[in-house]
Amino acid sequence: MKKNSGLWTFSPLNPDDLNDCAKLMGQLTETLCVSVQEARSYGLCPQIKELGSNIATTHCASCGEGMVKISRWRYALLQWPHPVLEAGLVILDTPGLNSLGSEADLGLEAARSADALIFVLSADTGVTQSDLAIWEQSLGRHALQNQLVVLNKVDTLWDDLRDPGQESAVVQSQREKTAGQLGLNVDQVIAVSAQKGLLGRIRHDDQLSARSGLKELEEAIAETLIPGRCKSILDSAQRLIKRVVIDQRVLLEEQIKNLGGEIESMERLQAQTGEQLPRLLERQQKLLRSFAGDRDSFVLKEQEFLESANSWLLQALSLEQLDQIVVSARTELLAAWTTVGIYDRFSRFFEETIAQFDNALERANRLSALMLDAYRILEQQYGLPKLDTIPYAILPRRAELLAMADRYERFGKRLEIAASTQGSVVRKAFFSLAQQIEAFVEETRKELRNWVNESLDLMNRQLELFAAQSKEKMAALEAIVDSSTNIQPRIQSLSQQRQGKESNLTMLNETYAALCDLMDIVPDFGLRKNSNEEFSI
């Protein structure tokens, strides 16, 4: 529904007119009276059966018989002029735990995709069983530096009969207990009173503002969440830089090596008699004809590999087969009313899904072997660079799926949750899980296609490089045959090209070293041995 602009209502917001702002903001709390059936079509107003009867109760007597009151709006997006927000910060305020059963798509899904997470609990109750279930199932997978837990309403623990030291000890004990239950560091658990903090700032009461803990929360956001996000961006940039530098370095070193080999060949030609040159030219012409035929054969095999990838390989991760697994699991899960039944169906769902990935991994390995075998024939015949292609798209994704299965297994083992009224949350969690798995499989299918295309592109680049070098050598031989005086200029041209490539390699390493200093990257310089037996970095 969010993607359909026709379902949205747009209201311009004037921040300079406070009355207008208050009026527009008030729209967000509007409600509607609808029939129970319509409310349930939105996933609201679950059926409640009284003991010993089948009478379904309504939530709002003021709406009339068979009617209930629901929120008028399902989702709101506010754009407010503020320098921090204009700099790119987006704040998602998700539904609370009480709404999670019917709003899982707006709550858990938004939290999973967030860069940083603030989990708000009540200071007087701490971590409830429901809180812990949601944390273990969906929220606890974020990096530690990107998480904060707020114990709100800490003023419920204030007691004027205690001295400040005793009061601080009670609050600290609740923080430590919460951190232990959620597996966090205690400095990631902040105790605040949002209401008292707001009141203190409105009244300019510094003592009440300090006691509310809002300052500590703001400092934790600045010192924990923001640096955590910066570290994530930095780690991603470091991996990207390393990969790009390694790829370019390998390419430059291969070109320098090839140029060196051609220079040596030209130098040998210079020492040979004119009678040998025609035979070398004929041999090079024969090599080009042979390579052209073999390359055409490789192109045909390449089409077969692409067809195999799009049919045979991706069939192992068929979305239709996954839909069947999801439908079967959903049907059995809705029919299961025991803890063991719910937990067992969750486990079997992951077993069936992981089996798909195992089948895809086996097929990817076989396809990888076929592609390498086709390339090795040309590699051995024409001295092409060796390649080591592996199906990297499957192994990490399978590991991530196993980790997801482990989280849901721990969630399912919380027997008291599945047996209580939260059993509906468990079932609805499966609907959200099914969407995750479908998106997960679709993304893996795309990565598989990219892996096959990248592997074949890498092989074709080597073939194109060999063809270009062979044609260049052919042209040089023809020129040499016409005039042996062209040998020395050719050597000089190749030497200049090699010097240019070596200069590019030096510049690349210097730039990489500067980036390492700037971004705290551990350098990964490779040593390359030149023909003059000197080592250069």
Side-chain angles (χ1 to χ4, degrees):
M1 295 174 66
K2 289 192 298 181
K3 297 178 180 179
N4 188 346
S5 59
L7 298 177
W8 284 79
T9 296
F10 297 90
S11 300
L13 192 64
N14 182 8
D16 297 326
D17 188 343
L18 297 182
N19 291 329
D20 182 60
C21 289
K23 180 180 178 181
L24 290 175
M25 292 293 189
Q27 293 181 9
L28 301 181
T29 62
E30 292 177 353
T31 58
L32 292 173
C33 285
V34 301
S35 66
V36 175
Q37 291 76 15
E38 182 178 353
R40 286 174 182 163
S41 70
Y42 301 138
L44 305 174
C45 189
Q47 190 166 356
I48 303 174
K49 294 184 178 179
E50 298 178 353
L51 185 62
S53 71
N54 293 323
I55 301 176
T57 63
T58 62
H59 288 190
C60 179
S62 64
C63 291
E65 183 66 27
M67 306 289 287
V68 293
K69 184 178 292 186
I70 66 172
S71 298
R72 184 183 187 90
W73 307 107
R74 182 172 181 85
Y75 189 84
L77 190 152
L78 304 181
Q79 294 178 318
W80 189 268
H82 190 282
V84 176
L85 300 178
E86 291 172 356
L89 176 66
V90 177
I91 301 173
L92 300 175
D93 184 14
T94 63
L97 184 58
N98 293 334
S99 302
L100 194 57
S102 60
E103 301 290 349
D105 55 329
L106 299 183
L108 295 181
E109 292 305 314
R112 290 190 187 99
S113 60
D115 295 321
L117 178 70
I118 299 179
F119 193 36
V120 182
L121 305 175
S122 180
D124 54 347
T125 60
V127 183
T128 66
Q129 293 291 77
S130 300
D131 296 332
L132 186 59
I134 298 303
W135 178 267
E136 291 183 346
Q137 175 193 352
S138 299
L139 306 182
R141 70 187 186 92
H142 286 252
L144 287 179
Q145 67 267 23
N146 291 355
Q147 293 173 334
L148 286 179
V149 171
V150 171
L151 294 175
N152 194 21
K153 303 178 183 178
V154 71
D155 53 291
T156 59
L157 302 180
W158 294 353
D159 189 344
D160 294 337
L161 297 178
R162 299 193 187 109
D163 60 47
Q166 292 175 325
E167 186 176 285
S168 298
V170 171
V171 174
Q172 180 65 17
S173 175
Q174 187 70 304
R175 290 178 61 204
E176 293 175 353
K177 181 180 178 182
T178 300
Q181 289 176 297
L182 300 182
L184 297 174
N185 300 322
V186 70
D187 57 359
Q188 292 177 259
V189 181
I190 313 297
V192 302
S193 172
Q195 191 267 347
K196 300 300 182 185
L198 178 61
L199 184 63
R201 291 187 175 180
I202 292 175
R203 295 178 176 177
H204 303 289
D205 186 338
D206 295 339
Q207 183 177 359
L208 183 59
S209 295
R211 191 180 183 190
S212 71
L214 278 187
K215 182 179 180 181
E216 287 77 4
L217 175 58
E218 292 169 343
E219 291 175 349
I221 292 174
E223 298 172 3
T224 301
L225 294 189
I226 295 177
R229 176 56 180 157
C230 290
K231 184 178 183 302
S232 298
I233 295 174
L234 181 62
D235 290 343
S236 177
Q238 289 174 346
R239 290 192 296 269
L240 175 62
I241 289 172
K242 279 191 174 182
R243 188 176 75 246
V244 170
V245 169
I246 289 174
D247 289 346
Q248 292 302 313
R249 184 187 295 158
V250 169
L251 181 61
L252 285 171
E253 289 179 345
E254 185 65 29
Q255 291 174 341
I256 292 171
K257 177 183 176 182
N258 291 334
L259 287 169
E262 194 165 352
I263 290 173
E264 292 179 2
S265 177
M266 290 295 103
E267 290 174 343
R268 287 195 299 269
L269 280 175
Q270 196 173 34
Q272 292 173 348
T273 64
E275 295 179 357
Q276 294 175 308
L277 292 176
R279 288 198 297 269
L280 292 173
L281 179 59
E282 183 181 358
R283 185 187 306 167
Q284 187 68 15
Q285 291 172 337
K286 184 178 180 181
L287 176 69
L288 282 173
R289 290 193 297 270
S290 174
F291 179 76
D294 290 339
R295 187 174 182 181
D296 290 341
S297 299
F298 182 82
V299 170
L300 294 177
K301 291 181 180 179
E302 181 181 359
Q303 294 300 320
E304 294 177 1
F305 296 146
L306 290 174
E307 292 174 1
S308 296
N310 290 327
S311 57
W312 177 72
L313 176 57
L314 293 181
Q315 187 181 16
L317 288 178
S318 166
L319 293 177
E320 291 76 11
Q321 184 178 353
L322 178 63
D323 287 340
Q324 294 176 1
I325 295 175
V326 170
V327 170
S328 175
R330 181 188 293 119
T331 302
E332 296 181 17
L333 190 63
L334 292 174
W337 291 101
T338 66
T339 297
V340 174
I342 294 175
Y343 168 63
D344 177 66
R345 199 58 192 89
F346 260 103
S347 299
R348 285 194 291 116
F349 172 74
F350 275 108
E351 289 175 0
E352 294 167 356
T353 307
I354 292 171
Q356 274 193 299
F357 272 73
D358 289 338
N359 188 18
L361 178 60
E362 180 184 355
R363 295 189 180 189
N365 282 325
R366 290 167 60 186
L367 183 58
S368 176
L370 291 174
M371 289 190 295
L372 282 175
D373 287 343
Y375 178 81
R376 285 195 185 103
I377 295 174
L378 301 178
E379 171 194 315
Q380 295 170 1
Q381 185 170 353
Y382 299 103
L384 301 178
K386 292 185 177 181
L387 299 180
D388 186 13
T389 309
I390 59 173
Y392 65 86
I394 292 291
L395 287 174
R397 304 287 292 177
R398 184 182 184 276
E400 189 174 345
L401 183 63
L402 288 174
M404 191 184 303
D406 180 65
R407 287 196 305 274
Y408 274 92
E409 182 180 4
R410 287 187 281 109
F411 175 64
K413 286 182 178 179
R414 307 196 62 79
L415 305 182
E416 63 274 25
I417 296 175
S420 70
T421 57
Q422 293 297 328
S424 62
V425 174
V426 176
R427 293 181 179 85
K428 289 183 178 180
F430 175 78
F431 301 147
S432 176
L433 168 65
Q435 293 178 348
Q436 292 180 59
I437 296 297
E438 288 177 354
F440 186 80
V441 170
E442 180 60 33
E443 187 176 348
T444 304
R445 286 167 59 90
K446 292 179 181 178
E447 290 192 5
L448 269 176
R449 294 189 189 98
N450 291 338
W451 162 69
V452 174
N453 290 330
E454 290 173 2
S455 299
L456 293 173
D457 286 346
L458 179 60
M459 295 177 184
N460 279 315
R461 284 200 300 271
Q462 298 297 340
L463 295 177
E464 290 171 1
L465 182 61
F466 178 82
Q469 292 171 347
S470 299
K471 290 177 181 178
E472 191 174 354
K473 185 175 180 180
M474 177 73 179
L477 285 171
E478 290 174 342
I480 292 170
V481 170
D482 293 338
S483 176
S484 60
T485 58
N486 291 336
I487 295 179
Q488 187 59 37
R490 175 60 181 169
I491 293 175
Q492 292 176 351
S493 175
L494 293 172
S495 298
Q496 290 175 356
Q497 292 181 43
R498 182 171 65 175
Q499 290 175 0
K501 299 297 182 182
E502 289 174 341
S503 176
N504 290 341
L505 182 58
T506 300
M507 186 182 302
L508 175 67
N509 287 330
E510 290 174 351
T511 304
Y512 179 52
L515 287 172
C516 288
D517 292 338
L518 180 65
M519 305 181 69
D520 294 328
I521 303 176
V522 178
D524 182 21
F525 288 107
L527 292 177
R528 177 178 53 78
K529 192 173 183 180
N530 292 328
S531 58
N532 58 3
E533 300 300 325
E534 293 180 354
F535 284 92
S536 65
I537 295 180

